[in-house]
Amino acid sequence: MRHILSVLIENEAGALSRVTGLFSARGYNIDSLTVQTTEDPTLSRMTIVTHGSDDVIEQITKQLNKLIEVVKVIDLNEADHIERELMLIKVRATGKDRDEMKRMADIFRGRIIDVTEKTYTIELTGTGEKLDAFIKALDPAVILETVRTGASGIARGERVLKI
């Protein structure tokens, strides 16, 4: 099962390496990883998307909590949460396909952020499933390049990840 771990970690050199090294050493896969400094510049927040049974995720959480740099870990899947991902996709858009591509971007609430004679670059945000659906709706031959950020997530309501 897919899990999103939100990790509060000290903002220092090598901290990211120790977290990814933990996953690597124990054979756990990271599907996506995003990191950003928090409102407190001494702390960073990692969003790690991984797969595993509840036992595996519990083991990962315990191992993360053993790292000196890790301040707090929560599994966002334990409660309601919001997640978003950003995708930039460059597509071929010539002739009559230009209108169709603009219509597709509008349907998925995407924004065309760069235009050339032959291409559009479209910005899309949403869940991974929404972004996958957009890609699936396109003819694979028109996709020139795709870049995705990986998921970022936050708990709904009063639940917060803070020290």
Side-chain angles (χ1 to χ4, degrees), residues 87 89 91 100-101 103-105 107-108 124 129-143:
M87 176 173 72
I89 183 166
V91 294
E100 176 63 17
M101 198 57 66
R103 192 176 66 82
M104 286 290 293
I107 289 170
F108 282 85
L124 229 70
E129 291 81 19
K130 175 186 171 182
L131 305 185
D132 290 342
F134 181 75
I135 290 172
K136 197 172 180 180
L138 297 177
D139 176 355
V142 303
I143 300 172

Side-chain angles (χ1 to χ4, degrees), residues 64-108:
L64 284 170
N65 279 315
K66 287 182 182 177
L67 294 176
I68 293 169
E69 299 87 357
V70 171
V71 177
K72 196 169 182 182
V73 179
I74 63 168
D75 181 354
L76 290 176
N77 292 72
E78 292 176 350
D80 287 341
H81 66 279
I82 301 165
E83 63 178 274
R84 292 291 182 268
E85 189 174 328
L86 169 70
M87 176 173 72
L88 301 176
I89 183 166
K90 187 178 296 183
V91 294
R92 183 172 291 113
T94 57
K96 64 178 175 131
D97 293 340
R98 289 180 82 82
D99 289 339
E100 176 63 17
M101 198 57 66
K102 177 154 183 10
R103 192 176 66 82
M104 286 290 293
D106 290 343
I107 289 170
F108 282 85

Side-chain angles (χ1 to χ4, degrees), residues 10-24:
E10 292 177 12
N11 186 16
E12 61 182 39
L16 173 62
S17 170
R18 283 185 275 287
V19 170
T20 57
L22 180 150
F23 276 76
S24 173

Side-chain angles (χ1 to χ4, degrees), residues 2 29-33 48-51:
R2 180 178 179 264
N29 191 38
I30 296 175
D31 294 337
S32 74
L33 172 68
I48 303 170
V49 178
T50 188
H51 280 83

Side-chain angles (χ1 to χ4, degrees), residues 37-63:
T37 305
T38 65
E39 59 282 354
D40 176 351
T42 65
L43 298 172
S44 290
R45 182 181 177 133
M46 285 185 178
T47 305
I48 303 170
V49 178
T50 188
H51 280 83
S53 66
D54 290 342
D55 291 341
V56 167
I57 299 304
E58 182 181 340
Q59 191 62 35
I60 290 172
T61 302
K62 286 180 180 175
Q63 294 295 322

